Amino acid sequence: MNLKTHENNGTVVVSLAGEIDLEHSPSVRKQLMELMFDRRDVLVDMAQVAYIDSSGIASLVEAYQMARKNATRFVLVAVSQPALRVLQLARLDKVFALADTVEAALAG
Amino acid sequence: MNPVQVKNLDTHYGHRHILKDVSLEVRQGEIFVIMGGSGSGKTTLLNHLLGLLRPSSGSVHILGQDINTIGALAKQELRTKMGVAFQSGALFSSMSVGDNIALPLREHTKLDDTTIGIVTRLKLEVVSLAGFADLMPSELSGGMIKRAAFARAIVMDPKLLFCDEPSAGLDPVVAASIDDLILRLRDAMGMSIVVVTHDLDSAFKIADRICVLDKGEVLALDTADAIRASPNERIQNLLNRRTEEAEIDPDAYLRRLLGEKDEDEDEEPMRDHL
């Protein structure tokens, strides 16, 4: 699993790659929650996510809920097919804010 | 490497030869149905796949490891990658539905409570039991218990899921919903799923391949379409629910009528309690 962040016009873009499983989801959760505590707008680029398990999805759910409470943005961007199938299994594709590209999310 | 590899498996209950030279492989991401009538050996085979029985001879490799020769710790680690939906549900009656489902995560991971809570409720959503976390198993219907058992079986996102008679005792609508759930789990999570069933409609709806067991032997192992089209009389008897008259062993028959037992007749196979 690889996690990188960079800023784009004041929004933090978190790029996830590889397999987000029981071993790696706690570190993803920690970094996302730190951004939520700082009340940052966050885009999560998931184009390179090969696999995400339920604990990884749970980290996204927790961060998204905090963003809603903070009235900040939390958007999943370019969600890969393997990750999208897991979101769809629990109908979370109808819950999260999704965007096709970082540019589209920033413009939205 | 295929996630399940069984080679030349033989097992006995006392003198009774239960499984006879069973060999099969379950491929990555497929739904593999083990089908057969009562007494065909399918539940015994499932118990071997779970490492609950030791064979007389032959081997069972699960996710690349020989389940009968690995140590206790390795077997425990291996079992965290396997989910089992038992026929009866096997929920702990003293625990709420939510606690039953969360139990594997609490026992085998270091996830924080918030994440465990979200994953637990996520799985309840997947099996259409949203909002039932605080109920006790005794408050659930048969179909709900099956679905709760599924939720617990998949809570660790296993690579391999075993389902024992998932539709047994359910009405056709609920049974169909369980079949749909199995298909969705495979498609979304890429799990390899082994289903033991005698429900023909369910088997042909979900199976990529079917292994037909008969009297402890693999009668056929092929795609669902090939099994359905098989010219084999015993397979057609099974598919068309025609009964077969069992061959009579006069000596054994008379002994049964007179209440005489063979030695070891009721002996249980060696169980692995690790």
Side-chain angles (χ1 to χ4, degrees):
Chain A
M1 196 277 290
N2 197 340
L3 186 153
K4 290 178 182 168
T5 62
H6 71 275
E7 284 209 31
N8 191 329
N9 289 331
T11 296
V12 180
V13 179
V14 178
S15 298
L16 298 175
E19 299 197 347
I20 303 164
D21 54 15
L22 283 171
E23 182 182 354
H24 298 108
S25 63
S27 67
V28 173
R29 174 180 183 264
K30 181 171 179 292
Q31 300 207 40
L32 289 178
M33 294 309 286
E34 284 174 1
L35 292 168
M36 294 302 108
F37 284 126
D38 290 343
R39 294 176 178 266
R40 302 297 304 268
D41 289 328
V42 172
L43 308 183
V44 183
D45 185 342
M46 298 180 67
Q48 300 302 316
V49 173
Y51 171 79
I52 185 166
D53 73 1
S54 301
S55 65
I57 296 290
S59 302
L60 298 176
V61 168
E62 190 177 2
Y64 184 46
Q65 179 64 355
M66 184 167 276
R68 285 163 58 99
K69 284 180 182 169
N70 293 343
T72 54
R73 297 189 74 210
F74 186 90
V75 182
L76 305 184
V77 177
V79 180
S80 65
Q81 277 301 312
L84 187 60
R85 283 196 291 269
V86 179
L87 290 175
Q88 288 169 334
L89 181 64
R91 294 175 298 163
L92 285 169
D93 57 317
K94 312 286 186 202
V95 175
F96 280 109
L98 303 177
D100 290 336
T101 64
V102 169
E103 292 72 26
L106 287 169
Chain B
M1 179 179 295
N2 287 325
V4 176
Q5 296 174 306
V6 178
K7 288 184 183 167
N8 308 116
L9 185 71
D10 272 88
T11 193
H12 296 77
Y13 287 175
H15 288 313
R16 282 183 293 159
H17 201 172
I18 305 300
L19 293 178
K20 302 163 187 168
D21 197 30
V22 171
S23 295
L24 57 87
E25 296 195 351
V26 178
R27 299 169 185 158
Q28 177 61 43
E30 83 169 336
I31 298 176
F32 186 91
V33 168
I34 299 170
M35 200 167 78
S38 297
S40 60
K42 55 187 188 300
T43 299
T44 300
L45 176 57
L46 177 65
N47 286 335
H48 279 290
L49 300 182
L50 298 175
L52 298 174
L53 298 175
R54 286 187 185 277
S56 307
S57 63
S59 65
V60 177
H61 283 76
I62 301 293
L63 300 172
Q65 299 190 71
D66 186 335
I67 201 162
N68 293 303
T69 61
I70 58 175
L73 281 177
K75 186 179 282 190
Q76 188 174 345
E77 171 69 21
L78 182 59
R79 282 179 170 152
T80 65
K81 297 171 185 166
M82 303 158 55
V84 188
F86 292 100
Q87 183 175 357
S88 63
L91 300 178
F92 291 102
S93 58
S94 60
M95 299 168 72
S96 69
V97 171
D99 284 340
N100 264 284
I101 293 165
L103 186 63
L105 292 173
R106 291 191 174 125
E107 288 292 315
H108 298 297
T109 76
K110 293 176 181 170
L111 294 175
D112 65 281
D113 282 346
T114 303
T115 303
I116 288 175
I118 294 171
V119 173
T120 298
R121 289 184 285 275
L122 200 61
K123 298 303 180 185
L124 284 168
E125 292 280 347
V126 168
V127 301
S128 303
L129 283 180
F132 288 79
D134 294 331
L135 293 188
M136 301 302 284
S138 59
E139 298 175 281
L140 301 184
S141 69
M144 292 158 84
I145 286 174
K146 292 265 191 191
R147 281 183 278 153
F150 261 93
R152 188 176 62 183
I154 61 171
V155 76
M156 296 274 288
D157 295 321
K159 307 276 186 210
L160 247 181
L161 176 64
F162 296 95
C163 310
D164 188 9
E165 301 283 7
S167 53
L170 302 180
D171 70 60
V173 174
V174 177
S177 74
I178 298 279
D179 290 340
D180 290 339
L181 176 60
I182 290 170
L183 288 166
R184 285 194 296 128
L185 287 173
R186 189 274 304 276
D187 293 344
M189 307 296 290
M191 293 175 188
S192 304
I193 304 179
V194 178
V195 178
V196 171
T197 186
H198 63 262
D199 183 332
L200 298 174
D201 293 337
S202 170
F204 284 110
K205 179 177 177 184
I206 64 176
D208 293 308
R209 291 191 304 147
I210 295 175
C211 171
V212 181
L213 278 184
D214 184 51
K215 297 170 186 167
E217 294 178 279
V218 176
L219 191 57
L221 198 172
D222 215 325
T223 62
D225 287 342
I227 294 290
R228 203 193 301 265
S230 170
N232 184 297
E233 184 185 2
R234 284 157 73 189
I235 291 176
Q236 288 305 319
N237 285 344
L238 180 70
L239 299 188
N240 293 299
R241 299 172 170 88
R242 287 194 292 261
T243 56
E244 290 180 352
E245 192 164 342
E247 287 182 22
I248 288 183
D249 175 345
D251 292 336
Y253 190 16
L254 288 171
R255 276 200 302 274
R256 286 201 300 275
L257 291 181
L258 294 167
E260 298 170 0
K261 281 187 177 176
D262 284 342
E263 281 185 20
D264 299 332
E265 191 172 275
D266 296 323
E267 194 173 300
E268 283 291 310
M270 188 188 302
R271 284 198 172 266
D272 189 341
H273 296 287
L274 293 176

